[in-house]
Coordinates of all heavy atoms in Angstrom, one line a residue:
M1 N 153.8 5.8 173.6 CA 152.9 6.9 173.4 C 151.5 6.4 173.9 O 151.0 5.4 173.4 CB 152.9 7.3 171.9 CG 151.9 8.3 171.6 SD 151.7 8.5 169.8 CE 152.5 10.1 169.6
A2 N 151.0 7.2 174.7 CA 149.6 6.9 175.3 C 148.5 7.2 174.2 O 148.6 8.1 173.4 CB 149.4 7.7 176.5
E3 N 147.5 6.3 174.2 CA 146.4 6.5 173.3 C 145.5 7.7 173.8 O 145.3 7.9 175.0 CB 145.5 5.3 173.2 CG 146.2 4.2 172.5 CD 145.2 3.0 172.3 OE1 144.4 2.8 173.2 OE2 145.3 2.3 171.3
T4 N 144.9 8.4 172.9 CA 144.0 9.4 173.2 C 142.6 8.8 173.5 O 142.4 7.6 173.2 CB 143.8 10.4 172.0 OG1 143.2 9.7 170.9 CG2 145.1 11.0 171.6
N5 N 141.7 9.6 174.1 CA 140.4 9.0 174.3 C 139.7 8.6 173.0 O 139.0 7.6 173.0 CB 139.5 10.1 175.0 CG 139.9 10.3 176.5 OD1 140.5 9.4 177.1 ND2 139.6 11.4 177.0
Y6 N 139.9 9.4 172.0 CA 139.4 9.1 170.6 C 139.9 7.7 170.2 O 139.1 6.9 169.7 CB 139.8 10.2 169.6 CG 139.3 9.9 168.2 CD1 138.0 10.2 167.9 CD2 140.1 9.3 167.3 CE1 137.5 10.0 166.6 CE2 139.6 9.0 166.0 CZ 138.3 9.4 165.7 OH 137.8 9.1 164.4
Q7 N 141.2 7.5 170.3 CA 141.7 6.2 169.9 C 141.2 5.0 170.7 O 140.9 4.0 170.2 CB 143.3 6.2 170.0 CG 143.9 7.1 168.9 CD 145.4 7.3 169.2 OE1 145.8 7.5 170.4 NE2 146.2 7.4 168.1
Q8 N 141.0 5.2 172.0 CA 140.5 4.2 172.8 C 139.0 3.9 172.5 O 138.6 2.8 172.5 CB 140.6 4.6 174.3 CG 142.0 4.6 174.8 CD 142.1 5.2 176.2 OE1 141.1 5.7 176.8 NE2 143.3 5.1 176.8
K9 N 138.3 5.0 172.1 CA 136.8 4.8 171.8 C 136.6 4.1 170.5 O 135.7 3.3 170.3 CB 136.2 6.2 171.8 CG 134.7 6.1 171.6 CD 134.1 7.5 171.6 CE 132.6 7.5 171.4 NZ 132.0 8.8 171.4
Y10 N 137.5 4.3 169.5 CA 137.3 3.8 168.2 C 138.2 2.6 167.8 O 138.6 2.5 166.7 CB 137.4 4.9 167.2 CG 136.2 5.9 167.3 CD1 136.3 7.0 168.0 CD2 135.0 5.5 166.8 CE1 135.3 7.9 168.2 CE2 133.9 6.4 167.0 CZ 134.0 7.5 167.7 OH 132.9 8.4 167.9
R11 N 138.5 1.8 168.7 CA 139.2 0.6 168.4 C 138.2 -0.4 167.9 O 137.0 -0.3 168.1 CB 139.8 -0.1 169.7 CG 141.0 0.6 170.3 CD 141.4 -0.2 171.5 NE 142.5 0.4 172.1 CZ 143.1 -0.1 173.2 NH1 142.6 -1.2 173.7 NH2 144.1 0.5 173.7
Y12 N 138.7 -1.3 167.1 CA 137.8 -2.4 166.5 C 138.3 -3.7 167.0 O 139.5 -4.0 166.8 CB 137.8 -2.3 165.0 CG 137.3 -1.0 164.5 CD1 138.2 0.0 164.1 CD2 136.0 -0.7 164.6 CE1 137.7 1.3 163.7 CE2 135.5 0.6 164.1 CZ 136.4 1.5 163.7 OH 135.9 2.7 163.3
L13 N 137.4 -4.5 167.5 CA 137.8 -5.9 167.9 C 137.1 -6.9 167.1 O 135.8 -6.9 167.0 CB 137.4 -6.1 169.4 CG 137.8 -7.4 170.0 CD1 139.3 -7.5 170.1 CD2 137.2 -7.5 171.5
W14 N 137.8 -7.7 166.4 CA 137.2 -8.7 165.4 C 137.8 -10.0 165.7 O 138.9 -10.1 166.3 CB 137.6 -8.3 164.0 CG 136.9 -7.0 163.6 CD1 137.4 -5.8 163.8 CD2 135.7 -6.9 162.9 NE1 136.5 -4.8 163.2 CE2 135.5 -5.5 162.7 CE3 134.8 -7.8 162.4 CZ2 134.4 -5.0 162.1 CZ3 133.7 -7.3 161.8 CH2 133.5 -5.9 161.6
Q15 N 137.1 -11.0 165.3 CA 137.7 -12.4 165.4 C 138.0 -12.9 164.0 O 137.1 -12.9 163.2 CB 136.6 -13.3 166.1 CG 137.2 -14.6 166.4 CD 136.7 -15.2 167.7 OE1 136.1 -14.5 168.5 NE2 136.9 -16.4 167.9
I16 N 139.3 -13.2 163.8 CA 139.7 -13.7 162.5 C 140.5 -15.0 162.8 O 141.4 -15.0 163.6 CB 140.7 -12.7 161.9 CG1 140.0 -11.3 161.6 CG2 141.3 -13.3 160.6 CD1 141.0 -10.3 161.1
E17 N 140.0 -16.0 162.1 CA 140.7 -17.3 162.2 C 140.8 -17.7 163.6 O 141.8 -18.2 164.1 CB 142.0 -17.3 161.4 CG 141.9 -17.0 160.0 CD 143.2 -16.7 159.3 OE1 144.2 -16.8 159.9 OE2 143.2 -16.4 158.1
G18 N 139.7 -17.5 164.4 CA 139.7 -18.0 165.8 C 140.5 -17.1 166.8 O 140.6 -17.3 167.9
K19 N 141.1 -16.0 166.3 CA 141.9 -15.1 167.1 C 141.2 -13.7 167.2 O 140.7 -13.3 166.2 CB 143.3 -14.9 166.6 CG 144.1 -16.1 166.5 CD 145.4 -15.8 165.8 CE 146.2 -17.1 165.5 NZ 147.4 -16.9 164.7
R20 N 141.2 -13.1 168.3 CA 140.6 -11.8 168.5 C 141.7 -10.8 168.0 O 142.9 -10.9 168.4 CB 140.3 -11.5 169.9 CG 139.0 -12.2 170.3 CD 138.5 -11.8 171.6 NE 137.3 -12.4 171.9 CZ 136.5 -12.1 172.9 NH1 136.9 -11.2 173.8 NH2 135.4 -12.7 173.1
V21 N 141.3 -9.8 167.2 CA 142.2 -8.9 166.7 C 141.7 -7.5 167.1 O 140.6 -7.1 166.8 CB 142.2 -9.0 165.1 CG1 143.1 -7.9 164.5 CG2 142.6 -10.3 164.7
L22 N 142.6 -6.8 167.7 CA 142.3 -5.4 168.0 C 143.0 -4.5 166.9 O 144.2 -4.6 166.7 CB 143.0 -5.0 169.4 CG 142.7 -3.7 169.9 CD1 141.2 -3.5 170.2 CD2 143.4 -3.5 171.3
C23 N 142.2 -3.8 166.2 CA 142.7 -3.1 165.1 C 142.5 -1.6 165.2 O 141.4 -1.0 165.1 CB 141.9 -3.5 163.8 SG 142.5 -2.8 162.3
Y24 N 143.6 -0.9 165.4 CA 143.7 0.6 165.3 C 145.0 0.8 164.6 O 146.1 0.5 165.1 CB 143.7 1.2 166.7 CG 143.8 2.7 166.5 CD1 142.7 3.5 166.1 CD2 145.0 3.3 166.7 CE1 142.9 4.9 166.0 CE2 145.2 4.7 166.5 CZ 144.1 5.4 166.1 OH 144.2 6.8 165.9
N25 N 144.9 1.4 163.4 CA 146.1 1.6 162.6 C 146.8 0.3 162.3 O 148.0 0.2 162.3 CB 147.1 2.6 163.2 CG 146.6 4.0 163.0 OD1 145.8 4.3 162.1 ND2 147.1 4.9 163.8
C26 N 146.0 -0.8 162.1 CA 146.6 -2.1 161.9 C 147.0 -2.2 160.4 O 146.6 -1.4 159.6 CB 145.7 -3.2 162.2 SG 144.1 -3.2 161.5
P27 N 147.9 -3.1 160.1 CA 148.4 -3.3 158.7 C 147.2 -3.5 157.7 O 146.2 -4.1 158.1 CB 149.3 -4.5 158.7 CG 149.6 -4.7 160.2 CD 148.5 -4.1 160.9
M28 N 147.5 -3.1 156.5 CA 146.4 -3.3 155.4 C 146.0 -4.7 155.3 O 144.8 -5.0 155.1 CB 147.0 -2.7 154.1 CG 145.9 -2.7 153.0 SD 144.5 -1.7 153.4 CE 145.1 -0.1 153.1
D29 N 146.9 -5.7 155.3 CA 146.5 -7.1 155.2 C 145.5 -7.5 156.3 O 144.6 -8.3 156.1 CB 147.7 -8.0 155.0 CG 148.6 -8.0 156.2 OD1 148.7 -7.0 156.9 OD2 149.1 -9.1 156.5
T30 N 145.7 -7.0 157.5 CA 144.8 -7.3 158.6 C 143.5 -6.6 158.4 O 142.4 -7.2 158.6 CB 145.4 -6.8 159.9 OG1 146.7 -7.5 160.1 CG2 144.5 -7.1 161.1
Q31 N 143.5 -5.4 157.9 CA 142.2 -4.7 157.6 C 141.4 -5.5 156.5 O 140.2 -5.6 156.6 CB 142.5 -3.3 157.1 CG 143.1 -2.4 158.2 CD 143.4 -1.0 157.6 OE1 142.7 -0.5 156.8 NE2 144.4 -0.4 158.2
R32 N 142.1 -6.0 155.5 CA 141.5 -6.7 154.4 C 140.9 -8.0 155.0 O 139.8 -8.4 154.6 CB 142.4 -7.0 153.3 CG 142.9 -5.8 152.5 CD 143.9 -6.1 151.5 NE 143.3 -6.6 150.2 CZ 142.6 -5.9 149.4 NH1 142.4 -4.6 149.6 NH2 142.1 -6.5 148.3
K33 N 141.6 -8.7 155.9 CA 141.0 -9.9 156.5 C 139.8 -9.6 157.3 O 138.8 -10.3 157.3 CB 142.1 -10.6 157.4 CG 143.1 -11.3 156.6 CD 144.1 -12.0 157.6 CE 145.2 -12.7 156.9 NZ 146.2 -13.3 157.8
I34 N 139.8 -8.5 158.1 CA 138.7 -8.1 158.9 C 137.5 -7.8 158.0 O 136.4 -8.3 158.2 CB 139.0 -6.8 159.7 CG1 140.0 -7.2 160.8 CG2 137.7 -6.2 160.3 CD1 140.6 -6.0 161.5
I35 N 137.7 -7.1 156.9 CA 136.6 -6.8 156.0 C 136.1 -8.1 155.3 O 134.8 -8.3 155.2 CB 137.0 -5.7 154.9 CG1 137.3 -4.4 155.6 CG2 136.0 -5.6 153.8 CD1 138.0 -3.4 154.8
Y36 N 137.0 -8.9 154.9 CA 136.6 -10.2 154.2 C 135.8 -11.0 155.2 O 134.7 -11.6 154.8 CB 137.8 -10.9 153.7 CG 137.4 -12.2 153.0 CD1 136.9 -12.2 151.7 CD2 137.5 -13.4 153.6 CE1 136.6 -13.4 151.0 CE2 137.2 -14.6 153.0 CZ 136.7 -14.6 151.7 OH 136.3 -15.7 151.1
T37 N 136.2 -11.1 156.4 CA 135.5 -11.9 157.4 C 134.1 -11.4 157.7 O 133.2 -12.2 157.8 CB 136.3 -12.0 158.7 OG1 137.6 -12.5 158.5 CG2 135.6 -12.8 159.8
F38 N 134.0 -10.1 157.7 CA 132.7 -9.5 157.9 C 131.8 -9.8 156.7 O 130.7 -10.2 156.9 CB 132.8 -8.0 158.1 CG 131.5 -7.3 158.1 CD1 130.6 -7.4 159.2 CD2 131.1 -6.6 157.0 CE1 129.4 -6.8 159.2 CE2 129.8 -6.0 156.9 CZ 129.0 -6.1 158.0
L39 N 132.3 -9.5 155.5 CA 131.5 -9.8 154.3 C 131.1 -11.3 154.2 O 129.9 -11.6 153.9 CB 132.3 -9.4 153.1 CG 132.5 -7.9 152.9 CD1 133.4 -7.7 151.7 CD2 131.2 -7.2 152.7
N40 N 132.0 -12.1 154.6 CA 131.7 -13.6 154.5 C 130.7 -14.0 155.5 O 130.0 -15.0 155.3 CB 133.0 -14.3 154.7 CG 132.9 -15.8 154.3 OD1 132.7 -16.6 155.2 ND2 132.9 -16.1 153.1
S41 N 130.5 -13.3 156.6 CA 129.5 -13.6 157.6 C 128.1 -13.1 157.3 O 127.2 -13.4 158.1 CB 130.0 -13.1 159.0 OG 129.9 -11.7 159.1
Q42 N 128.0 -12.3 156.3 CA 126.7 -11.7 156.0 C 126.1 -12.3 154.7 O 126.7 -12.1 153.7 CB 126.9 -10.2 155.8 CG 127.5 -9.5 157.0 CD 126.7 -9.6 158.3 OE1 125.5 -9.4 158.3 NE2 127.3 -10.0 159.4
P43 N 125.0 -12.9 154.8 CA 124.4 -13.5 153.6 C 123.6 -12.6 152.7 O 123.4 -12.8 151.6 CB 123.6 -14.7 154.1 CG 123.1 -14.2 155.5 CD 124.3 -13.4 156.0
L44 N 123.1 -11.5 153.3 CA 122.2 -10.6 152.6 C 122.7 -9.2 152.7 O 123.4 -8.8 153.6 CB 120.8 -10.7 153.3 CG 120.2 -12.1 153.2 CD1 118.9 -12.1 154.1 CD2 119.9 -12.5 151.8
A45 N 122.2 -8.4 151.7 CA 122.4 -6.9 151.7 C 121.2 -6.3 151.1 O 120.3 -6.9 150.6 CB 123.6 -6.6 150.8
T46 N 121.1 -5.0 151.2 CA 120.1 -4.2 150.6 C 120.7 -3.3 149.5 O 121.7 -2.6 149.8 CB 119.3 -3.3 151.6 OG1 118.8 -4.2 152.6 CG2 118.2 -2.5 150.9
I47 N 120.2 -3.4 148.3 CA 120.7 -2.6 147.2 C 119.6 -1.6 146.9 O 118.4 -1.9 146.8 CB 121.1 -3.5 146.0 CG1 121.8 -2.6 144.9 CG2 119.8 -4.1 145.4 CD1 122.4 -3.4 143.8
S48 N 120.1 -0.3 146.7 CA 119.2 0.7 146.3 C 119.6 1.3 145.0 O 120.7 1.5 144.7 CB 119.2 1.9 147.3 OG 118.7 1.4 148.6
T49 N 118.6 1.4 144.1 CA 118.8 1.9 142.7 C 117.8 3.1 142.5 O 116.9 3.3 143.4 CB 118.5 0.8 141.7 OG1 117.2 0.3 141.9 CG2 119.5 -0.4 141.9
I50 N 117.9 3.7 141.4 CA 117.0 4.8 141.0 C 116.2 4.3 139.8 O 116.7 3.9 138.8 CB 117.8 6.1 140.6 CG1 118.7 6.5 141.8 CG2 116.8 7.2 140.2 CD1 117.9 6.9 143.0
N51 N 114.8 4.5 139.9 CA 114.0 4.0 138.8 C 113.9 5.1 137.7 O 114.5 6.2 137.8 CB 112.6 3.6 139.3 CG 111.8 4.7 139.9 OD1 112.0 5.9 139.6 ND2 110.7 4.4 140.6
K52 N 113.1 4.8 136.7 CA 113.1 5.7 135.5 C 112.4 7.1 135.9 O 112.7 8.1 135.2 CB 112.3 5.1 134.4 CG 110.8 4.8 134.7 CD 110.2 4.0 133.5 CE 108.7 3.6 133.9 NZ 108.1 2.9 132.9
N53 N 111.7 7.1 137.0 CA 111.1 8.4 137.4 C 112.0 9.2 138.4 O 111.6 10.2 138.9 CB 109.7 8.1 138.1 CG 108.7 7.5 137.1 OD1 108.7 7.8 135.9 ND2 107.9 6.6 137.6
G54 N 113.2 8.6 138.7 CA 114.1 9.3 139.6 C 113.9 9.0 141.0 O 114.5 9.6 141.9
N55 N 113.0 8.0 141.3 CA 112.7 7.6 142.7 C 113.6 6.4 143.1 O 113.9 5.6 142.3 CB 111.2 7.3 142.8 CG 110.3 8.5 142.5 OD1 110.6 9.6 143.0 ND2 109.3 8.2 141.8
P56 N 114.0 6.4 144.4 CA 114.8 5.3 144.9 C 113.9 4.0 145.0 O 112.7 4.1 145.4 CB 115.3 5.7 146.2 CG 114.3 6.8 146.7 CD 113.7 7.4 145.4
E57 N 114.5 2.9 144.8 CA 113.9 1.6 145.0 C 115.0 0.7 145.7 O 116.1 0.7 145.3 CB 113.5 0.9 143.7 CG 112.3 1.6 143.0 CD 111.8 0.9 141.8 OE1 112.5 0.0 141.3 OE2 110.8 1.3 141.3
S58 N 114.6 -0.1 146.7 CA 115.5 -0.9 147.4 C 115.0 -2.4 147.3 O 113.8 -2.6 147.3 CB 115.6 -0.5 148.9 OG 116.1 0.8 149.0
A59 N 116.0 -3.3 147.4 CA 115.6 -4.7 147.3 C 116.6 -5.5 148.2 O 117.8 -5.1 148.2 CB 115.7 -5.2 145.9
L60 N 116.2 -6.5 148.8 CA 117.0 -7.4 149.6 C 117.6 -8.4 148.6 O 117.0 -8.9 147.7 CB 116.2 -8.2 150.6 CG 116.9 -9.0 151.6 CD1 117.8 -8.1 152.5 CD2 116.0 -9.8 152.5
I61 N 119.0 -8.6 148.7 CA 119.7 -9.4 147.8 C 120.6 -10.3 148.5 O 121.1 -10.0 149.6 CB 120.5 -8.6 146.7 CG1 121.5 -7.7 147.4 CG2 119.5 -7.9 145.8 CD1 122.5 -7.1 146.5
G62 N 121.0 -11.5 147.9 CA 122.1 -12.3 148.4 C 123.3 -11.8 147.6 O 123.2 -11.3 146.5
F63 N 124.5 -12.0 148.2 CA 125.7 -11.6 147.5 C 126.9 -12.5 147.9 O 126.8 -13.2 148.9 CB 126.1 -10.1 147.8 CG 126.6 -9.9 149.2 CD1 127.9 -9.9 149.5 CD2 125.7 -9.7 150.3 CE1 128.4 -9.7 150.8 CE2 126.1 -9.5 151.5 CZ 127.5 -9.5 151.8
G64 N 127.9 -12.5 147.1 CA 129.1 -13.2 147.4 C 130.3 -12.3 147.4 O 130.2 -11.2 146.9
E65 N 131.4 -12.7 147.9 CA 132.6 -11.8 148.0 C 133.8 -12.6 147.5 O 133.8 -13.8 147.7 CB 132.8 -11.2 149.4 CG 133.2 -12.3 150.4 CD 132.0 -13.2 150.8 OE1 130.9 -12.7 150.8 OE2 132.3 -14.3 151.1
K66 N 134.7 -11.9 146.9 CA 136.0 -12.5 146.5 C 137.1 -12.0 147.5 O 136.9 -11.0 148.2 CB 136.3 -12.1 145.1 CG 135.3 -12.7 144.1 CD 135.4 -12.2 142.7 CE 136.7 -12.5 142.1 NZ 136.8 -12.0 140.7
E67 N 138.2 -12.7 147.5 CA 139.3 -12.3 148.4 C 139.8 -10.9 148.1 O 140.4 -10.3 149.0 CB 140.4 -13.4 148.4 CG 140.0 -14.6 149.1 CD 141.1 -15.6 149.3 OE1 142.3 -15.2 149.2 OE2 140.9 -16.8 149.5
D68 N 139.6 -10.4 146.9 CA 140.1 -9.0 146.6 C 139.0 -8.0 147.1 O 139.2 -6.8 146.8 CB 140.4 -8.9 145.1 CG 139.2 -9.0 144.2 OD1 138.1 -9.2 144.7 OD2 139.3 -8.8 143.0
L69 N 138.0 -8.5 147.8 CA 136.9 -7.7 148.4 C 135.9 -7.2 147.3 O 135.1 -6.4 147.7 CB 137.5 -6.5 149.2 CG 138.4 -6.9 150.3 CD1 138.8 -5.7 151.1 CD2 137.8 -7.9 151.3
S70 N 136.0 -7.7 146.1 CA 134.9 -7.3 145.2 C 133.7 -8.2 145.5 O 133.8 -9.3 146.1 CB 135.4 -7.6 143.7 OG 135.8 -8.9 143.5
L71 N 132.5 -7.6 145.2 CA 131.3 -8.3 145.5 C 130.6 -8.8 144.3 O 130.7 -8.2 143.2 CB 130.3 -7.3 146.2 CG 130.8 -6.7 147.5 CD1 129.8 -5.7 148.0 CD2 131.1 -7.8 148.5
I72 N 130.0 -9.9 144.4 CA 129.3 -10.6 143.3 C 127.8 -10.6 143.6 O 127.4 -11.1 144.7 CB 129.7 -12.0 143.1 CG1 131.2 -12.0 142.8 CG2 129.0 -12.7 142.0 CD1 131.9 -13.4 143.0
I73 N 127.0 -9.9 142.7 CA 125.6 -9.8 142.9 C 124.9 -10.4 141.7 O 125.2 -9.9 140.6 CB 125.2 -8.4 143.2 CG1 125.8 -7.9 144.4 CG2 123.7 -8.2 143.2 CD1 125.7 -6.4 144.6
G74 N 124.0 -11.3 141.8 CA 123.3 -11.9 140.7 C 121.9 -11.5 140.7 O 121.3 -11.3 141.8
T75 N 121.3 -11.3 139.5 CA 119.9 -11.0 139.5 C 119.4 -11.4 138.1 O 120.1 -11.6 137.1 CB 119.6 -9.5 139.7 OG1 118.2 -9.3 139.8 CG2 120.1 -8.6 138.6
N76 N 118.1 -11.5 138.0 CA 117.4 -11.9 136.7 C 117.2 -10.6 135.9 O 116.9 -9.5 136.4 CB 116.1 -12.5 137.1 CG 115.5 -13.2 135.8 OD1 115.2 -12.5 134.9 ND2 115.2 -14.5 135.9
K77 N 117.3 -10.7 134.6 CA 117.1 -9.6 133.7 C 115.7 -9.0 133.8 O 115.5 -7.8 133.3 CB 117.4 -10.0 132.3 CG 118.9 -10.2 132.0 CD 119.1 -10.5 130.5 CE 120.6 -10.7 130.3 NZ 120.8 -11.0 128.8
S78 N 114.8 -9.7 134.3 CA 113.4 -9.2 134.4 C 113.1 -8.4 135.7 O 112.0 -7.8 135.8 CB 112.4 -10.4 134.3 OG 112.5 -11.2 135.5
T79 N 114.1 -8.2 136.6 CA 113.9 -7.5 137.8 C 114.0 -6.0 137.6 O 114.6 -5.5 136.7 CB 114.9 -8.0 138.9 OG1 116.2 -7.6 138.5 CG2 114.8 -9.4 139.2
R80 N 113.3 -5.3 138.5 CA 113.4 -3.8 138.5 C 114.8 -3.3 138.7 O 115.3 -2.4 138.0 CB 112.5 -3.2 139.6 CG 111.0 -3.4 139.3 CD 110.2 -2.8 140.5 NE 110.6 -3.4 141.7 CZ 110.4 -2.9 142.9 NH1 109.7 -1.8 143.0 NH2 110.8 -3.5 144.0
K81 N 115.5 -4.0 139.6 CA 116.9 -3.5 139.9 C 117.8 -3.6 138.7 O 118.6 -2.8 138.4 CB 117.5 -4.2 141.2 CG 117.7 -5.7 141.1 CD 118.3 -6.2 142.4 CE 118.0 -7.7 142.5 NZ 116.6 -8.0 142.9
Y82 N 117.6 -4.7 137.9 CA 118.4 -4.9 136.7 C 118.2 -3.8 135.7 O 119.1 -3.1 135.2 CB 118.1 -6.3 136.1 CG 118.9 -6.5 134.8 CD1 120.2 -7.0 134.9 CD2 118.3 -6.3 133.6 CE1 120.9 -7.2 133.7 CE2 119.1 -6.5 132.4 CZ 120.3 -7.0 132.5 OH 121.1 -7.2 131.3
K83 N 116.9 -3.5 135.5 CA 116.5 -2.4 134.6 C 117.0 -1.1 135.1 O 117.4 -0.3 134.3 CB 115.0 -2.5 134.4 CG 114.5 -3.7 133.6 CD 113.0 -3.8 133.6 CE 112.6 -5.2 133.0 NZ 111.2 -5.4 133.2
N84 N 116.9 -0.9 136.4 CA 117.3 0.4 136.9 C 118.8 0.6 136.8 O 119.3 1.7 136.4 CB 116.9 0.5 138.4 CG 115.5 0.6 138.7 OD1 114.7 0.9 137.8 ND2 115.1 0.4 139.9
I85 N 119.6 -0.5 137.0 CA 121.0 -0.4 136.9 C 121.5 -0.1 135.5 O 122.5 0.6 135.2 CB 121.7 -1.6 137.5 CG1 121.5 -1.6 139.0 CG2 123.2 -1.7 137.2 CD1 121.9 -2.9 139.7
L86 N 120.8 -0.7 134.5 CA 121.1 -0.4 133.1 C 121.0 1.0 132.8 O 121.8 1.6 132.1 CB 120.2 -1.3 132.2 CG 120.5 -2.7 132.1 CD1 119.6 -3.4 131.1 CD2 122.0 -3.0 131.6
K87 N 120.0 1.7 133.3 CA 119.7 3.1 133.1 C 120.6 4.0 133.9 O 121.0 5.1 133.5 CB 118.2 3.4 133.3 CG 117.3 2.8 132.3 CD 115.9 3.1 132.5 CE 115.0 2.2 131.7 NZ 114.3 2.8 130.7
N88 N 120.9 3.6 135.1 CA 121.7 4.4 136.0 C 122.5 3.5 136.9 O 122.0 2.9 137.8 CB 120.8 5.3 136.9 CG 121.5 6.2 137.8 OD1 122.8 6.0 138.0 ND2 120.9 7.2 138.4
P89 N 123.8 3.3 136.6 CA 124.6 2.3 137.3 C 125.0 2.7 138.7 O 125.6 1.9 139.4 CB 125.9 2.2 136.4 CG 126.0 3.5 135.7 CD 124.5 3.9 135.5
R90 N 124.6 3.9 139.2 CA 125.0 4.3 140.5 C 124.0 3.6 141.5 O 122.8 3.8 141.4 CB 124.9 5.8 140.7 CG 126.1 6.5 139.9 CD 126.0 8.0 140.0 NE 124.9 8.4 139.1 CZ 124.5 9.6 139.0 NH1 125.0 10.5 139.7 NH2 123.5 9.9 138.1
V91 N 124.5 2.9 142.5 CA 123.7 2.2 143.4 C 124.3 2.5 144.8 O 125.4 2.9 145.0 CB 123.7 0.7 143.2 CG1 123.2 0.3 141.8 CG2 125.1 0.0 143.4
A92 N 123.5 2.1 145.8 CA 123.9 2.1 147.2 C 123.7 0.7 147.7 O 122.7 0.1 147.4 CB 123.1 3.1 148.1
L93 N 124.7 0.2 148.5 CA 124.6 -1.1 149.1 C 124.8 -1.0 150.6 O 125.8 -0.4 151.1 CB 125.7 -2.0 148.4 CG 125.6 -3.5 148.7 CD1 124.4 -4.1 148.0 CD2 126.8 -4.2 148.3
A94 N 123.9 -1.6 151.3 CA 124.0 -1.7 152.8 C 124.1 -3.1 153.2 O 123.3 -4.0 152.8 CB 122.8 -1.0 153.4
I95 N 125.2 -3.4 153.9 CA 125.4 -4.8 154.4 C 125.2 -4.8 155.9 O 125.8 -4.0 156.6 CB 126.8 -5.3 154.0 CG1 127.0 -5.2 152.5 CG2 127.1 -6.7 154.5 CD1 128.4 -5.4 152.0

């Protein structure tokens, strides 16, 4: 079956364990490896929270990732983001 123009345009080429991987409708375990590899290559992210006045606040953070693709974010209890998350746990994260 020939690929459509859309399929050709939206292929993803990643390098995993020294091998280039072309991913279009690839198996879930390959997708997870691609995502994990990407997360592992990025040391920083931006987290956005909502302050007590309802305004957005963003901060640059370091993060870690686990093989199940969950993210680990640490912060001090005295930071604005910590206080904001306690009041409103909805956040946006850009990696």
Side-chain angles (χ1 to χ4, degrees):
M1 176 190 250
E3 288 185 329
T4 66
N5 288 339
Y6 178 84
Q7 289 170 323
Q8 291 172 352
K9 184 176 180 182
Y10 291 99
R11 286 184 183 178
Y12 299 101
L13 184 65
W14 294 85
Q15 188 142 347
I16 299 175
E17 299 168 3
K19 299 177 188 172
R20 287 187 173 188
V21 176
L22 185 61
C23 184
Y24 177 78
N25 283 340
C26 55
M28 185 60 75
D29 62 326
T30 302
Q31 292 177 33
R32 292 177 80 72
K33 283 183 184 178
I34 290 169
I35 294 167
Y36 181 79
T37 301
F38 171 75
L39 292 173
N40 192 260
S41 72
Q42 304 300 312
L44 300 172
T46 301
I47 190 168
S48 296
T49 59
I50 302 296
N51 68 18
K52 63 183 175 184
N53 298 324
N55 297 316
E57 292 184 348
S58 297
L60 188 64
I61 58 167
F63 72 96
E65 67 287 328
K66 295 169 61 175
E67 287 189 19
D68 67 358
L69 303 182
S70 58
L71 300 178
I72 301 165
I73 298 168
T75 189
N76 190 302
K77 289 182 178 183
S78 66
T79 64
R80 289 179 305 163
K81 64 183 157 285
Y82 179 83
K83 293 171 186 170
N84 291 346
I85 291 169
L86 284 180
K87 292 181 193 243
N88 184 346
R90 291 177 284 176
V91 302
L93 190 71
I95 301 172

